[in-house]
Amino acid sequence: EGSKAEMKPPMYTDMKETQFIRWNLEYTEPYLLETFSSIPEDKLLVPPKAGMEAPALVFARGIVKEIIHTQGFNQGKLDIPEKFTCLLHWQGASTADKIKAVADREELIQFFRHVRTATYSYLDSLEDSDLKEIPKNSILEDGDPNRGNPVREAFVMTMYTQNVVWGKLIATKEMLGIPPTEPETWQR
């Protein structure tokens, strides 16, 4: 017989803040990559409908936001390969330059992994005290505890962005009439 602590379901064990953020990013990452990878090559650079971005640009924008969120606070060092620097200046870069930068799916996925490795490295360098919530109403009237701690906010925004990108890619697949895929971990 195990102790009560050993019998406790994993979702109820106490996790450090840094562990929770890493778990959240790692949990969603394969689903995001599977969804992006399942979009046919000939659809990656085509907006699914007017007013929307092409799937490769949606994916790339998520990578750029992660760089801005996490690497921007990591001593202001932005580690970005030359090919993708135009993505960092999203509003100023031409659509043609952005399309050229994201035209190779595997290169884009490798760029995502490169950025994610840097994100995990930065997260691993932090202590939970670096991510301490600011009590409600002590910083802003709306009481959002993340806004009082820019490092915490950066990781919250990274998690949020990852989920938004994943959602947009799922919606794109639906609009294109591509059947949903289930990553192996979802299958019973």
Side-chain angles (χ1 to χ4, degrees), residues 9 19 45 93 144 159:
Q19 292 170 321
L45 300 174
D144 182 343
M159 291 185 295

Side-chain angles (χ1 to χ4, degrees), residues 31 34 181-188:
Y31 305 134
E34 174 64 32
T181 56
E182 292 186 355
E184 285 182 30
T185 54
W186 286 358
Q187 296 173 0
R188 296 176 193 193

Side-chain angles (χ1 to χ4, degrees), residues 24-25 28 32 35 52-53 55 57-63 65 69 116 156-172:
N24 184 288
L25 292 171
T28 308
L32 170 67
T35 303
M52 292 185 70
E53 287 184 313
L57 290 176
V58 169
F59 188 74
R61 185 177 278 236
I63 298 168
K65 285 185 176 185
H69 292 150
R116 185 51 58 92
V156 168
M157 290 306 299
T158 298
M159 291 185 295
Y160 171 78
T161 299
Q162 176 174 267
N163 291 335
V164 167
V165 168
W166 181 31
K168 285 181 176 184
L169 293 173
I170 289 170
T172 295

Side-chain angles (χ1 to χ4, degrees), residues 2-163:
S3 71
K4 285 186 178 186
E6 290 170 347
M7 294 169 38
K8 199 176 199 182
M11 74 264 311
Y12 294 112
T13 59
D14 292 330
M15 289 179 97
K16 292 181 177 183
E17 190 74 18
T18 52
Q19 292 170 321
F20 173 76
I21 291 169
R22 187 174 184 120
W23 171 82
N24 184 288
L25 292 171
E26 287 177 342
Y27 180 80
T28 308
E29 184 178 319
Y31 305 134
L32 170 67
L33 289 172
E34 174 64 32
T35 303
F36 181 63
S37 296
S38 67
I39 297 172
E41 198 75 39
D42 64 332
K43 305 289 186 196
L44 283 178
L45 300 174
V46 180
K49 71 176 195 176
M52 292 185 70
E53 287 184 313
L57 290 176
V58 169
F59 188 74
R61 185 177 278 236
I63 298 168
V64 169
K65 285 185 176 185
E66 184 167 330
I67 290 169
I68 292 167
H69 292 150
T70 60
Q71 293 182 23
F73 286 107
N74 189 8
Q75 301 166 351
K77 183 183 125 200
L78 299 179
D79 183 16
I80 182 166
E82 180 68 32
K83 176 175 183 164
F84 299 107
T85 55
C86 71
L87 300 175
L88 206 53
H89 310 287
W90 199 267
Q91 300 299 330
S94 71
T95 301
D97 285 345
K98 290 187 273 190
I99 293 282
K100 184 177 176 186
V102 302
D104 184 322
R105 181 195 333 246
E106 284 309 309
E107 229 178 4
L108 191 55
I109 288 172
Q110 288 308 314
F111 177 41
F112 169 81
R113 288 186 172 131
H114 171 77
V115 169
R116 185 51 58 92
T117 297
T119 297
Y120 290 147
S121 177
Y122 176 40
L123 183 59
D124 291 345
S125 75
L126 299 174
E127 298 293 327
D128 279 356
S129 59
D130 297 321
L131 300 169
K132 184 179 177 195
E133 289 187 46
I134 306 299
K136 291 184 177 183
N137 298 324
S138 68
I139 299 297
L140 297 174
E141 287 302 312
D142 68 3
D144 182 343
N146 300 311
R147 290 204 183 125
N149 182 333
V151 175
R152 180 183 176 84
E153 184 177 357
F155 282 103
V156 168
M157 290 306 299
T158 298
M159 291 185 295
Y160 171 78
T161 299
Q162 176 174 267
N163 291 335

